[in-house]
């Protein structure tokens, strides 16, 4: 998401490690993309602002790796099960522990989604704040310009009225 700069747009592309173009967008202010990694290696993410060489852009982006989280959760479950087996709880206690573990995992997933949403909302807020500050500068400039123009017109009107009442006849002696 482009949160600052003139036009609030930028070109975006994503390439696989073999150089195959996966996503390409032109002059967009925001976007969400889901890509399934099909080959190992480094993917290339590019934000291109070459069409607007005068103005710089401030870009917010976030990468979320779902597969890595699932693998971590599986490892944590395997490690977490070791102490449960060592303790050999009774059947009712075993069910309660599983319920607690499930509740904790659900809560952890929801907290992660909350953190992601808060980051996205902060990006929206930053973009809107930059836009408001830009608008404030323009409004201030044009207000000052209009006040100056108003004073100039007032001065010209007073001068014109004063010149209408001046006596331009030569004095006779």
């Amino acid at each position: 998401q482009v949160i600052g700069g003139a036009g609030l747009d930028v070109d975006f592309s994503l390439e696989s490690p073999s150089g195959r173009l996966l996503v390409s967008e032109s002059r967009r202010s925001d976007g969400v993309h889901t890509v399934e990694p099909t080959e190992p290696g480094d993917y290339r993410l590019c934000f291109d602002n070459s069409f607007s060489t005068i103005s710089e852009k401030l870009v917010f982006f976030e990468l979320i790796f779902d597969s890595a989280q699932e693998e971590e959760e599986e490892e944590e479950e395997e490690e977490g099960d070791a102490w449960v087996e060592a303790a050999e709880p009774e059947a009712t206690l075993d069910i309660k522990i599983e319920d607690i573990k499930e509740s904790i995992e659900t809560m952890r997933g929801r907290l992660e989604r909350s953190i992601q949403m808060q980051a996205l909302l902060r990006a929206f807020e930053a973009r809107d704040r930059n836009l408001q500050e830009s608008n404030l500068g323009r409004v201030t400039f044009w207000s000052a310009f209009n006040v100056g123009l108003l004073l100039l017109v007032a001065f010209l009107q007073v001068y014109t009225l004063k010149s209408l009442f001046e006596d331009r006849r030569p004095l006779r002696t």
Side-chain angles (χ1 to χ4, degrees):
Q1 177 180 11
V2 182
I3 59 175
L8 294 179
D9 57 352
V10 71
D11 292 346
F12 168 78
S13 64
L14 178 64
E15 292 181 7
S16 69
S18 64
R20 188 172 50 101
L21 190 62
L22 300 174
V23 177
S24 177
E25 289 188 340
S26 190
R27 296 188 180 184
R28 295 281 309 264
S29 63
D30 60 4
V32 176
H33 304 284
T34 302
V35 176
E36 190 68 36
T38 55
E39 53 190 277
D42 294 332
Y43 285 75
R44 191 172 118 172
L45 177 70
C46 179
F47 295 100
D48 184 14
N49 191 32
S50 61
F51 62 88
S52 177
T53 57
I54 297 172
S55 65
E56 61 184 31
K57 307 287 170 84
L58 180 61
V59 177
F60 168 80
F61 70 97
E62 181 177 25
L63 298 175
I64 302 171
F65 300 101
D66 288 335
S67 60
Q69 288 178 351
E70 291 171 4
E71 290 172 4
E72 289 175 9
E73 289 174 5
E74 289 173 5
E75 290 174 9
E76 289 174 4
E77 286 178 11
E78 291 172 3
E79 291 172 4
D81 290 341
W83 70 269
V84 174
E85 291 173 3
E88 295 182 12
E90 295 179 19
T92 57
L93 185 60
D94 189 31
I95 294 171
K96 290 180 182 179
I97 289 174
E98 290 300 319
D99 290 343
I100 291 171
K101 282 177 63 177
E102 185 178 315
S103 297
I104 289 172
E105 288 300 318
T106 303
M107 194 179 319
R108 183 168 108 14
R110 289 179 181 167
L111 285 172
E112 286 178 358
R113 277 188 241 119
S114 297
I115 289 169
Q116 292 169 355
M117 285 301 298
Q118 287 176 348
L120 185 63
L121 291 173
R122 276 194 299 274
F124 285 144
E125 187 268 335
R127 181 193 64 189
D128 293 342
R129 185 180 59 244
N130 286 341
L131 183 62
Q132 287 175 343
E133 288 174 0
S134 173
N135 288 344
L136 176 65
R138 276 185 259 165
V139 167
T140 303
F141 170 76
W142 286 109
S143 295
F145 179 78
N146 284 329
V147 166
L149 189 62
L150 182 69
L151 290 174
L152 177 67
V153 168
F155 175 74
L156 288 174
Q157 286 179 346
V158 167
Y159 179 75
T160 303
L161 280 174
K162 189 176 177 183
S163 68
L164 287 175
F165 291 105
E166 286 182 359
D167 190 15
R168 294 187 185 179
R169 291 183 290 178
L171 292 175
R172 294 185 190 157
T173 52

